[in-house]
Amino acid sequence: MESGREVKGLHVITWGCQMNVYDSARMTDVLRPLGYQSVETPDAADMVILNTCHIRDRAAEKVFSELGRLRLVKDARAAEGRRTILAVAGCVAQAEGAEILARAPYVDIVLGPQTYHRLPEMVARAARAAGAVIDTDFPAEQKFDFLPDAQAPQTPGGITAFLTIQEGCDKFCSFCVVPYTRGAESSRPVDSVLREARRLVESGAREITLLGQNVNAYHGEGPDGRVWGLARLAESLAAIPGLARIRYTTSHPRDMEDALIAGHRDLPALMPFLHLPVQSGSDRILAAMNRGHTAAEYRDLVLRLRDARPDIALSSDFIVGHPGESDADFEATMQLIRDVGFAQAFSFKYSPRPGTPAAGAPMQVPEDVKDARLQALQALLRTQQDAFNAGTVGRVVPVLFTGRGRKPGQLSGRSPYLQPVHVDGPDTLIGQIAQVEIRERYTNSLSGTLIQERAFA
């Protein structure tokens, strides 16, 4: 920040996926040259940004509810002679920008996820104009080319960081709004990704999670002028001194190339934990979802991954009650879960998204049927997750320590499988990897004992 520039408070409220967490951090970076610094509460902020997500049910209504509370804050500050710029960003803004301004005319800025590099200009326009500023275009320029350098990792302690390398989606699944809110698939150039990764490592990151709506569809221009896939990018990232772990999410089965499967075999830094959404185990429903693969093809892909990396663990997404789903279709999903086995999973009832093909499809499944199916599916998934965690007890695993635990003298870290692990140990291990013998498992975490005080890189 330039010397003498007025310091202004910025409060960002983030909903949704890890990409939104990354976007919120980058919006903070974009606004820093204007004098904005993060503050903890809206009433201390000269600007409040709601970074929204359109994936979950009733997403828009939750936004309007929060805007109602923020209006009270804005009015109270105005009575004291302090202006508050209120902005709505992200996927709800992209999908429902006009509705936001109609129902909440006190909002100053509405911006889509592809335009936040233009925030300084929008803030200047909002300061000059009597009306709201709205920018939900899909600009031709690559937004990452216009962003300032990332300042630091986006998690407490700075040991882990997110890095967006790909945006948008060309798959057009019947239930999903992403192609309409994030646009077509677009990949960042390799040099841009590597520069940001090096800055994050220099700031203390030991683990980087690569983000994208279809992250394994990454095809960025390499420094040699050729197109690089995710496997080749991961290989270059693994060569950065100090970067110990690489993850990526979210993947699509159709984009799981042979080179990336081989990368899980050949790159120690590429963690043996893969989020690979399948959504359903029924070929009929997969076709209705426009997923572009069958249940057998998913099973075969899992076998190929486990052949390349026998210790790999899988996470997935499941939707129950997609229009037309029968009892037999649901049982096919349950059987796929039994056949594959998942360490973690996310599961949801189907809910219509305006403008998506499934929203107007016939044979909508009754809510009580969706409820019953979801409970049965989640019970099976919980059993598998408990079994996976139980299988860790007695094993020695490398843990990356990310910070202090809740108890005095306790450290908190992550296993290669993203399991939270707690041990008693010295603060000098924060940011390091050490071997831990797992002694106990709990509902959502593990605990263990250090078997070596000296960490290794």
Side-chain angles (χ1 to χ4, degrees):
M1 186 170 58
E2 296 177 7
S3 177
R5 184 183 292 275
E6 177 189 1
V7 176
K8 291 169 281 190
L10 172 67
H11 185 72
V12 183
I13 300 171
T14 306
W15 289 324
C17 64
Q18 292 167 323
M19 289 190 72
N20 270 16
V21 175
Y22 175 88
D23 285 350
S24 292
R26 300 317 312 274
M27 283 190 275
T28 301
D29 293 340
V30 165
L31 292 170
R32 188 172 286 108
L34 301 185
Y36 285 96
Q37 299 290 325
S38 296
V39 295
E40 294 295 324
T41 59
D43 58 356
D46 299 282
M47 182 172 183
V48 178
I49 301 174
L50 281 181
N51 193 10
T52 63
C53 175
H54 211 292
I55 298 298
R56 301 291 176 257
D57 193 20
R58 297 186 296 276
E61 291 309 312
K62 293 174 183 177
V63 170
F64 287 116
S65 177
E66 184 65 26
L67 284 175
R69 288 189 284 270
L70 291 173
R71 182 182 187 177
L72 299 177
V73 173
K74 182 172 182 172
D75 289 346
R77 283 175 53 87
E80 299 172 356
R82 300 184 295 166
R83 185 183 180 193
T84 305
I85 296 175
L86 183 55
V88 181
C91 291
V92 173
Q94 182 71 43
E96 306 194 36
E99 179 71 7
I100 289 170
L101 295 182
R103 290 180 57 179
Y106 47 89
V107 170
D108 300 287
I109 298 172
V110 177
L111 67 151
Q114 302 303 327
T115 61
Y116 64 73
H117 60 293
R118 299 176 179 172
L119 255 177
E121 175 189 348
M122 295 182 217
V123 170
R125 288 167 55 196
R128 294 193 305 264
V133 176
I134 182 168
D135 191 342
T136 53
D137 292 338
F138 290 105
E141 73 267 14
Q142 171 67 261
K143 75 179 181 184
F144 296 102
D145 293 341
F146 294 87
L147 294 174
D149 291 349
Q151 296 298 304
Q154 302 92 28
T155 54
I159 308 304
T160 63
F162 300 134
L163 200 170
T164 293
I165 64 169
Q166 182 272 346
E167 287 196 299
C169 181
D170 295 341
K171 302 298 188 290
F172 288 92
C173 295
S174 65
F175 52 83
C176 185
V177 298
V178 166
Y180 311 101
T181 59
R182 290 271 183 173
E185 290 179 357
S186 174
S187 297
R188 291 177 68 176
V190 171
D191 281 344
S192 172
V193 173
L194 294 179
R195 281 197 305 271
E196 184 166 343
R198 292 188 189 102
R199 287 193 296 268
L200 292 170
V201 173
E202 289 168 0
S203 298
R206 300 296 314 282
E207 173 183 293
I208 290 179
T209 300
L210 307 176
L211 302 178
Q213 265 82 35
N214 279 330
V215 69
N216 57 339
Y218 176 84
H219 282 87
E221 182 181 355
D224 56 2
R226 298 182 179 182
V227 173
W228 287 27
L230 183 56
R232 192 171 180 188
L233 176 66
E235 185 177 357
S236 291
L237 288 166
I240 297 176
L243 181 57
R245 292 182 170 184
I246 300 169
R247 304 182 188 274
Y248 59 92
T249 194
T250 291
S251 305
H252 195 290
R254 285 166 54 186
D255 294 313
M256 206 71 204
E257 298 178 343
D258 291 343
L260 186 54
I261 295 174
H264 279 280
R265 178 193 65 210
D266 300 334
L267 293 176
L270 199 55
M271 289 294 95
F273 181 81
L274 176 60
H275 186 64
L276 190 64
V278 64
Q279 306 299 356
S280 174
S282 161
D283 286 347
R284 195 174 70 85
I285 296 302
L286 288 170
M289 289 177 167
N290 195 36
R291 290 291 291 171
H293 63 83
T294 65
E297 287 168 340
Y298 186 87
R299 286 182 172 92
D300 179 68
L301 177 56
V302 170
L303 290 175
R304 290 164 57 206
L305 283 161
R306 287 175 170 162
D307 183 61
R309 183 75 190 255
D311 64 336
I312 199 166
L314 297 176
S315 172
S316 195
D317 291 344
F318 295 92
I319 294 175
V320 301
H322 187 276
E325 183 186 69
S326 66
D327 288 344
D329 294 321
F330 175 67
E331 175 54 31
T333 299
M334 295 289 278
Q335 189 59 51
L336 182 140
I337 294 171
R338 297 184 196 105
D339 292 345
V340 173
F342 294 94
Q344 292 183 24
F346 302 93
S347 53
F348 313 95
K349 294 187 298 181
Y350 168 77
S351 58
R353 293 295 176 267
T356 59
M363 300 179 64
Q364 297 284 331
V365 177
E367 284 299 314
D368 60 336
V369 174
K370 289 192 283 188
D371 286 337
R373 290 177 182 171
L374 183 64
Q375 290 178 25
L377 181 138
Q378 289 181 338
L380 176 58
L381 290 170
R382 277 195 301 272
T383 299
Q384 291 190 346
Q385 182 173 346
D386 288 345
F388 179 79
N389 289 337
T392 313
V393 175
R395 292 177 53 195
V396 174
V397 298
V399 174
L400 172 61
F401 290 103
T402 55
R404 296 186 180 92
R406 295 181 178 179
K407 300 177 181 178
Q410 186 184 68
L411 297 179
S412 179
R414 290 177 171 179
S415 78
Y417 305 103
L418 270 182
Q419 299 155 299
V421 180
H422 303 288
V423 304
D424 291 332
D427 288 355
T428 53
L429 286 178
I430 295 174
Q432 305 299 317
I433 297 174
Q435 298 282 10
V436 172
E437 182 179 355
I438 304 301
R439 297 289 183 86
E440 294 187 68
R441 67 177 175 96
Y442 307 98
T443 303
N444 296 306
S445 65
L446 307 170
S447 67
T449 302
L450 284 167
I451 64 169
Q452 60 176 42
E453 287 288 334
R454 183 177 62 83
F456 59 91

Short mmCIF file of all heavy atoms in Angstrom, two decimals, residues 413-442:
data_model
loop_
_atom_site.label_atom_id
_atom_site.label_comp_id
_atom_site.label_asym_id
_atom_site.label_seq_id
_atom_site.Cartn_x
_atom_site.Cartn_y
_atom_site.Cartn_z
N GLY A 413 -2.62 -31.69 12.02
CA GLY A 413 -2.06 -31.85 10.69
C GLY A 413 -2.96 -32.68 9.80
O GLY A 413 -4.11 -32.98 10.16
N ARG A 414 -2.43 -33.05 8.64
CA ARG A 414 -3.20 -33.82 7.66
C ARG A 414 -2.42 -35.04 7.23
O ARG A 414 -1.22 -34.97 6.97
CB ARG A 414 -3.47 -32.98 6.40
CG ARG A 414 -4.43 -31.83 6.57
CD ARG A 414 -4.52 -31.07 5.26
NE ARG A 414 -5.59 -30.09 5.25
CZ ARG A 414 -5.85 -29.29 4.24
NH1 ARG A 414 -5.11 -29.36 3.13
NH2 ARG A 414 -6.84 -28.42 4.29
N SER A 415 -3.14 -36.15 7.12
CA SER A 415 -2.56 -37.34 6.52
C SER A 415 -2.55 -37.17 5.00
O SER A 415 -3.16 -36.24 4.47
CB SER A 415 -3.37 -38.58 6.90
OG SER A 415 -4.55 -38.65 6.10
N PRO A 416 -1.90 -38.08 4.26
CA PRO A 416 -1.99 -38.00 2.79
C PRO A 416 -3.42 -38.11 2.28
O PRO A 416 -3.71 -37.69 1.16
CB PRO A 416 -1.16 -39.21 2.34
CG PRO A 416 -0.19 -39.44 3.44
CD PRO A 416 -0.96 -39.13 4.70
N TYR A 417 -4.34 -38.64 3.10
CA TYR A 417 -5.72 -38.84 2.68
C TYR A 417 -6.65 -37.75 3.20
O TYR A 417 -7.86 -37.94 3.26
CB TYR A 417 -6.19 -40.21 3.17
CG TYR A 417 -5.29 -41.32 2.70
CD1 TYR A 417 -4.38 -41.91 3.56
CD2 TYR A 417 -5.31 -41.74 1.37
CE1 TYR A 417 -3.52 -42.91 3.11
CE2 TYR A 417 -4.46 -42.74 0.91
CZ TYR A 417 -3.56 -43.31 1.79
OH TYR A 417 -2.72 -44.29 1.34
N LEU A 418 -6.09 -36.60 3.56
CA LEU A 418 -6.84 -35.43 4.04
C LEU A 418 -7.52 -35.66 5.38
O LEU A 418 -8.39 -34.90 5.77
CB LEU A 418 -7.88 -34.99 3.01
CG LEU A 418 -7.42 -33.96 1.98
CD1 LEU A 418 -8.58 -33.58 1.05
CD2 LEU A 418 -6.84 -32.73 2.61
N GLN A 419 -7.13 -36.70 6.10
CA GLN A 419 -7.69 -36.92 7.43
C GLN A 419 -7.02 -35.97 8.44
O GLN A 419 -5.79 -35.88 8.49
CB GLN A 419 -7.44 -38.36 7.89
CG GLN A 419 -8.06 -39.42 7.00
CD GLN A 419 -7.31 -40.73 7.11
OE1 GLN A 419 -6.11 -40.79 6.79
NE2 GLN A 419 -7.98 -41.77 7.56
N PRO A 420 -7.81 -35.25 9.24
CA PRO A 420 -7.21 -34.47 10.32
C PRO A 420 -6.55 -35.39 11.34
O PRO A 420 -7.15 -36.39 11.74
CB PRO A 420 -8.39 -33.72 10.93
CG PRO A 420 -9.47 -33.77 9.88
CD PRO A 420 -9.26 -35.06 9.15
N VAL A 421 -5.33 -35.05 11.75
CA VAL A 421 -4.58 -35.86 12.70
C VAL A 421 -4.08 -34.96 13.82
O VAL A 421 -3.52 -33.88 13.56
CB VAL A 421 -3.38 -36.56 12.03
CG1 VAL A 421 -2.61 -37.39 13.04
CG2 VAL A 421 -3.84 -37.43 10.87
N HIS A 422 -4.25 -35.40 15.07
CA HIS A 422 -3.80 -34.63 16.23
C HIS A 422 -2.77 -35.43 17.01
O HIS A 422 -2.94 -36.63 17.24
CB HIS A 422 -4.99 -34.30 17.15
CG HIS A 422 -6.10 -33.57 16.46
ND1 HIS A 422 -5.98 -32.25 16.08
CD2 HIS A 422 -7.33 -33.96 16.06
CE1 HIS A 422 -7.09 -31.86 15.49
NE2 HIS A 422 -7.93 -32.89 15.47
N VAL A 423 -1.69 -34.76 17.39
CA VAL A 423 -0.64 -35.38 18.21
C VAL A 423 -0.13 -34.34 19.20
O VAL A 423 -0.32 -33.14 19.03
CB VAL A 423 0.55 -35.88 17.35
CG1 VAL A 423 0.08 -36.84 16.28
CG2 VAL A 423 1.31 -34.72 16.74
N ASP A 424 0.54 -34.81 20.23
CA ASP A 424 1.30 -33.92 21.12
C ASP A 424 2.70 -33.75 20.53
O ASP A 424 3.36 -34.74 20.18
CB ASP A 424 1.39 -34.51 22.53
CG ASP A 424 0.04 -34.52 23.23
OD1 ASP A 424 -0.79 -33.65 22.91
OD2 ASP A 424 -0.18 -35.40 24.08
N GLY A 425 3.12 -32.51 20.39
CA GLY A 425 4.43 -32.27 19.78
C GLY A 425 4.80 -30.80 19.84
O GLY A 425 3.98 -29.94 20.17
N PRO A 426 6.04 -30.48 19.50
CA PRO A 426 6.53 -29.11 19.57
C PRO A 426 6.08 -28.27 18.39
O PRO A 426 5.86 -28.78 17.28
CB PRO A 426 8.05 -29.29 19.56
CG PRO A 426 8.26 -30.54 18.76
CD PRO A 426 7.10 -31.43 19.11
N ASP A 427 5.96 -26.97 18.60
CA ASP A 427 5.55 -26.05 17.55
C ASP A 427 6.55 -26.02 16.39
O ASP A 427 6.19 -25.61 15.28
CB ASP A 427 5.40 -24.63 18.10
CG ASP A 427 4.17 -24.48 18.98
OD1 ASP A 427 3.39 -25.46 19.07
OD2 ASP A 427 3.98 -23.40 19.57
N THR A 428 7.75 -26.45 16.61
CA THR A 428 8.76 -26.44 15.55
C THR A 428 8.38 -27.37 14.39
O THR A 428 8.95 -27.27 13.31
CB THR A 428 10.13 -26.85 16.11
OG1 THR A 428 9.99 -28.10 16.79
CG2 THR A 428 10.67 -25.80 17.06
N LEU A 429 7.44 -28.28 14.65
CA LEU A 429 7.01 -29.19 13.59
C LEU A 429 5.98 -28.57 12.65
O LEU A 429 5.66 -29.16 11.62
CB LEU A 429 6.45 -30.47 14.19
CG LEU A 429 7.47 -31.44 14.79
CD1 LEU A 429 6.75 -32.64 15.39
CD2 LEU A 429 8.46 -31.89 13.73
N ILE A 430 5.42 -27.41 13.00
CA ILE A 430 4.43 -26.77 12.13
C ILE A 430 5.08 -26.41 10.79
O ILE A 430 6.14 -25.79 10.74
CB ILE A 430 3.83 -25.51 12.80
CG1 ILE A 430 3.05 -25.92 14.05
CG2 ILE A 430 2.93 -24.76 11.83
CD1 ILE A 430 2.54 -24.76 14.87
N GLY A 431 4.44 -26.85 9.72
CA GLY A 431 5.00 -26.65 8.39
C GLY A 431 5.90 -27.78 7.95
O GLY A 431 6.44 -27.75 6.84
N GLN A 432 6.07 -28.79 8.80
CA GLN A 432 6.94 -29.93 8.50
C GLN A 432 6.11 -31.21 8.40
O GLN A 432 4.95 -31.26 8.80
CB GLN A 432 8.01 -30.09 9.59
CG GLN A 432 8.83 -28.84 9.84
CD GLN A 432 9.60 -28.41 8.61
OE1 GLN A 432 10.19 -29.24 7.92
NE2 GLN A 432 9.61 -27.11 8.34
N ILE A 433 6.73 -32.24 7.86
CA ILE A 433 6.11 -33.55 7.77
C ILE A 433 6.87 -34.50 8.70
O ILE A 433 8.10 -34.54 8.68
CB ILE A 433 6.16 -34.09 6.33
CG1 ILE A 433 5.35 -33.18 5.40
CG2 ILE A 433 5.60 -35.52 6.26
CD1 ILE A 433 5.46 -33.55 3.94
N ALA A 434 6.13 -35.22 9.53
CA ALA A 434 6.75 -36.18 10.44
C ALA A 434 5.92 -37.47 10.46
O ALA A 434 4.71 -37.46 10.19
CB ALA A 434 6.86 -35.59 11.85
N GLN A 435 6.57 -38.56 10.81
CA GLN A 435 5.90 -39.86 10.87
C GLN A 435 5.10 -39.97 12.16
O GLN A 435 5.60 -39.66 13.25
CB GLN A 435 6.93 -40.98 10.80
CG GLN A 435 7.72 -41.01 9.51
CD GLN A 435 6.94 -41.62 8.35
OE1 GLN A 435 5.74 -41.85 8.45
NE2 GLN A 435 7.63 -41.86 7.25
N VAL A 436 3.87 -40.43 12.04
CA VAL A 436 2.97 -40.55 13.18
C VAL A 436 2.35 -41.95 13.17
O VAL A 436 1.87 -42.42 12.13
CB VAL A 436 1.85 -39.49 13.13
CG1 VAL A 436 0.80 -39.74 14.22
CG2 VAL A 436 2.43 -38.09 13.25
N GLU A 437 2.39 -42.60 14.32
CA GLU A 437 1.65 -43.85 14.47
C GLU A 437 0.24 -43.53 14.93
O GLU A 437 0.04 -42.91 15.98
CB GLU A 437 2.32 -44.78 15.48
CG GLU A 437 1.60 -46.12 15.60
CD GLU A 437 2.26 -47.06 16.59
OE1 GLU A 437 3.35 -46.72 17.11
OE2 GLU A 437 1.69 -48.14 16.84
N ILE A 438 -0.75 -43.92 14.14
CA ILE A 438 -2.14 -43.62 14.47
C ILE A 438 -2.61 -44.57 15.57
O ILE A 438 -2.50 -45.80 15.44
CB ILE A 438 -3.04 -43.76 13.22
CG1 ILE A 438 -2.53 -42.85 12.10
CG2 ILE A 438 -4.49 -43.43 13.57
CD1 ILE A 438 -2.46 -41.38 12.45
N ARG A 439 -3.12 -44.00 16.64
CA ARG A 439 -3.54 -44.79 17.80
C ARG A 439 -5.06 -44.88 17.95
O ARG A 439 -5.58 -45.90 18.40
CB ARG A 439 -2.94 -44.19 19.08
CG ARG A 439 -1.41 -44.21 19.12
CD ARG A 439 -0.89 -45.62 19.30
NE ARG A 439 0.56 -45.66 19.41
CZ ARG A 439 1.24 -45.52 20.53
NH1 ARG A 439 0.58 -45.30 21.66
NH2 ARG A 439 2.55 -45.59 20.54
N GLU A 440 -5.76 -43.79 17.59
CA GLU A 440 -7.21 -43.77 17.79
C GLU A 440 -7.88 -43.06 16.63
O GLU A 440 -7.30 -42.19 15.98
CB GLU A 440 -7.59 -43.05 19.10
CG GLU A 440 -7.14 -43.75 20.36
CD GLU A 440 -7.69 -43.06 21.59
OE1 GLU A 440 -8.91 -43.12 21.80
OE2 GLU A 440 -6.90 -42.45 22.34
N ARG A 441 -9.12 -43.45 16.38
CA ARG A 441 -9.94 -42.76 15.38
C ARG A 441 -11.19 -42.21 16.06
O ARG A 441 -11.72 -42.80 17.03
CB ARG A 441 -10.33 -43.71 14.26
CG ARG A 441 -11.28 -44.83 14.68
CD ARG A 441 -11.67 -45.69 13.50
NE ARG A 441 -12.49 -46.83 13.93
CZ ARG A 441 -13.81 -46.84 13.91
NH1 ARG A 441 -14.47 -45.77 13.54
NH2 ARG A 441 -14.48 -47.92 14.28
N TYR A 442 -11.64 -41.09 15.55
CA TYR A 442 -12.87 -40.47 16.03
C TYR A 442 -13.79 -40.27 14.83
O TYR A 442 -13.50 -40.72 13.73
CB TYR A 442 -12.55 -39.15 16.73
CG TYR A 442 -11.52 -39.30 17.83
CD1 TYR A 442 -10.19 -39.00 17.58
CD2 TYR A 442 -11.88 -39.78 19.08
CE1 TYR A 442 -9.23 -39.16 18.56
CE2 TYR A 442 -10.92 -39.94 20.08
CZ TYR A 442 -9.59 -39.63 19.81
OH TYR A 442 -8.66 -39.80 20.78
#
